[in-house]
Amino acid sequence: MVTRQDCITLDQQDALAACRDKFALPEGEIYLDGNSLGAMPRHLPARMQEVMVKEWGNGLIRSWNDANWIDLPKRVAGQVARLIGAGKDEVMVADSTSVNLYKALVAAVRLNPARKVILSERGNFPTDLYIAQGVAEIFNLEIRYVDSTPEPVLAGLDDSVAVVMLTHVNYRTGQIYPMQEITAKAHAVGALALWDLAHSAGAVEVDLNAAKADMAVGCGYKYLNGGPGAPAFVFVAERHHKDMRQPLSGWHGHVRPFEFVLGYEPAPGIESMQCGTPPLLSMLSLESALEIFDGVEMSALRKKSVALTELFIKLVDEKLSPYKFGLASPRDSAVRGSQVSLTHEQGYAIVQALIARGITGDFRMPNILRFGFTPLYVSFANVYDTAQAIAEIMESGEWNQDKFLTKKAVT
Ligand SMILES: *Cc1c(COP(=O)(O)O)cnc(C)c1O
């Protein structure tokens, strides 16, 4: 049996333990929802105060030059590139994940105009599939939905497919799709591969160029901790830059945005993936938040992430076996991201009872309790206390109260 003391010992040996102090988590908070909204870096309020007062308040429009706002998307993209195995000139930070998906997906189908199919899996994140539906309507394409494991995806790849669009780590189960294998099969049948890294960037090791990925998008406010609604990123492999054409032809993607000429002419590289003026404050927040990753190797983060999720599954096996929980995540850590999802018919109420105890995970329909283990700020003792709290909530029937059973707007 794993004891709490064992977990405290693991924390003492943890090379990343000091990172936790870089976040302003409330005293006693156990935060297992960094996969939905990352925690706030401790230094950010001071940085944002400086941005507001100095750069905006005093610098006014001059800050576009004096504070280098104009280069900001490119700068932040450089910080993200290292985390996802991309070249600095292959990434742009802009817009939201949904909007970037739209731009990238249209660019992909335009690169493969003879093909009629977008391939994805049924269990993909809804916005990804909704965006695909919108693109399919405009370009008169078909969406081929396959079951949510790698085998049907591989089997669904044939010479009718223009692009396969997948989320690398499934948001519901945490299953990792084999990026290299699926991309290779896509290329073998003449399709492109577009990866959503919303649950990967900053949490699992990603090497887009080693996998020869064509395009990718990802989220700034989850494991990258950029703040609520922080801008997202988009990757396009350099080999496609010459021919790609994204649909949102706004002035920030123009080759000479400040010449105010008649007629759109896209910038030659990844710059053309921009559209309009970026949300500067949010992007400055993301830039500052990403500094926490300086000097942190993704391999070390991944190692701790695996240790945290392995420990949680072990504790679930030890403490929760009488209570009819299922494991929705893979048992094999090699194909599991930085989360563990359990199933239980009272999942919603159990998550609410945990939140009332200061332990925040979340619930996903129909019966999934989702726990994200952000390696930068979750401790091994946090994992122990969570499993122990679930056992107590089940043992006492604490979950079975009206206030926990009534659903709120955001789960
Ligand atoms: C969180 C998430 C998104 C979010 O998209 P937004 O445009 O930021 O709302 C998209 N895709 C996946 C897979 C996600 O997990």
Side-chain angles (χ1 to χ4, degrees):
M1 295 283 273
V2 179
T3 66
R4 190 166 198 280
Q5 187 53 48
D6 295 337
C7 297
I8 291 170
T9 304
L10 289 172
D11 283 326
Q12 286 161 351
Q13 295 161 352
D14 172 18
L16 294 173
C19 293
R20 185 181 172 86
D21 276 343
K22 298 186 176 175
F23 292 88
L25 286 161
E27 192 59 37
E29 170 91 32
I30 297 181
Y31 191 60
L32 305 180
D33 217 355
N35 50 328
S36 270
L37 176 64
M40 185 179 75
R42 198 182 285 284
H43 70 280
L44 262 191
R47 171 63 184 143
M48 293 316 286
Q49 173 83 10
E50 179 182 62
V51 163
M52 299 288 281
V53 173
K54 276 172 62 179
E55 298 190 14
W56 180 16
N58 295 333
L60 294 161
I61 200 159
R62 297 180 297 274
S63 286
W64 279 100
N65 290 311
D66 297 349
N68 251 324
W69 287 353
I70 193 67
D71 295 330
L72 183 64
K74 201 68 211 294
R75 268 200 324 269
V76 186
Q79 292 172 287
V80 174
R82 177 179 77 89
L83 304 178
I84 56 174
K88 276 191 193 310
D89 294 328
E90 295 176 308
V91 182
M92 188 46 73
V93 172
D95 303 314
S96 63
T97 306
S98 302
V99 172
N100 285 334
L101 264 169
Y102 183 77
K103 293 183 293 188
L105 199 51
V106 169
V109 302
R110 281 174 165 171
L111 286 169
N112 222 348
R115 305 288 184 93
K116 285 286 160 219
V117 174
I118 297 171
L119 176 68
S120 195
E121 53 114 341
R122 265 176 244 292
N124 201 347
F125 193 84
T127 205
D128 299 51
L129 297 178
Y130 301 159
I131 291 286
Q133 209 180 323
V135 172
E137 277 170 25
I138 295 174
F139 287 85
N140 203 13
L141 305 172
E142 170 203 331
I143 304 178
R144 184 177 297 162
Y145 302 99
V146 297
D147 287 345
S148 301
T149 50
E151 296 73 26
V153 173
L154 289 163
L157 274 165
D158 60 29
D159 66 8
S160 64
V161 176
V163 53
V164 53
M165 179 196 77
L166 292 171
T167 300
H168 178 226
V169 177
N170 181 281
Y171 78 103
R172 211 193 289 256
T173 63
Q175 163 144 25
I176 300 179
Y177 281 75
M179 184 184 284
Q180 187 144 12
E181 187 184 357
I182 290 173
T183 302
K185 172 89 192 277
H187 292 171
V189 300
L192 298 177
L194 165 51
W195 294 92
D196 185 334
L197 306 178
H199 294 274
S200 312
V204 306
E205 287 176 281
V206 178
D207 197 336
L208 288 171
N209 279 331
K212 299 194 165 60
D214 297 287
M215 298 186 188
V217 298
C219 189
Y221 55 78
K222 291 173 179 164
Y223 291 104
L224 301 185
N225 312 307
F233 62 86
V234 55
F235 158 92
V236 182
E238 202 199 330
R239 62 184 176 279
H240 296 305
H241 287 187
K242 196 164 64 60
D243 300 319
M244 72 182 176
R245 194 75 190 246
Q246 65 103 341
L248 302 181
S249 45
W251 67 311
H252 278 246
H254 194 281
V255 63
R256 291 178 300 275
F258 289 95
E259 290 190 10
F260 298 94
V261 294
L262 184 67
Y264 181 73
E265 189 188 332
I270 196 71
E271 279 76 9
S272 74
M273 291 305 279
Q274 297 172 100
C275 179
T277 307
L280 256 294
L281 300 179
S282 266
M283 203 173 302
L284 286 160
S285 164
L286 175 60
E287 175 186 46
S288 195
L290 284 166
E291 286 167 11
I292 289 183
F293 286 89
D294 289 349
V296 175
E297 288 305 321
M298 282 309 304
S299 55
L301 276 180
R302 172 66 177 157
K303 196 165 153 234
K304 180 172 175 191
S305 156
V306 168
L308 290 167
T309 56
E310 295 269 85
L311 173 66
F312 186 62
I313 291 173
K314 189 160 198 302
L315 287 163
V316 166
D317 288 343
E318 286 182 6
K319 293 181 185 292
L320 302 183
S321 55
Y323 306 116
K324 299 203 176 113
F325 283 91
L327 179 64
S329 298
R331 258 187 195 274
D332 176 5
S333 64
V335 290
R336 187 177 64 236
S338 207
Q339 75 185 62
V340 176
S341 299
L342 304 178
T343 56
H344 195 283
E345 58 181 18
Q346 294 300 338
Y348 181 78
I350 296 164
V351 167
Q352 294 309 308
L354 277 168
I355 291 172
R357 284 172 168 242
I359 301 175
T360 301
D362 64 21
F363 172 79
R364 287 292 174 263
M365 293 289 277
N367 61 350
I368 290 198
L369 302 84
R370 201 169 65 144
F371 301 100
F373 297 92
T374 303
L376 284 172
Y377 51 76
V378 174
S379 70
F380 292 96
N382 287 166
V383 175
Y384 185 90
D385 292 344
T386 302
Q388 181 62 31
I390 301 174
E392 288 171 16
I393 285 166
M394 299 314 293
E395 167 70 24
S396 64
E398 192 176 315
W399 58 270
N400 194 6
Q401 305 178 51
D402 282 348
K403 63 180 178 184
F404 296 148
L405 291 159
T406 313
K407 282 215 171 77
K408 298 195 175 115
V410 176
T411 61

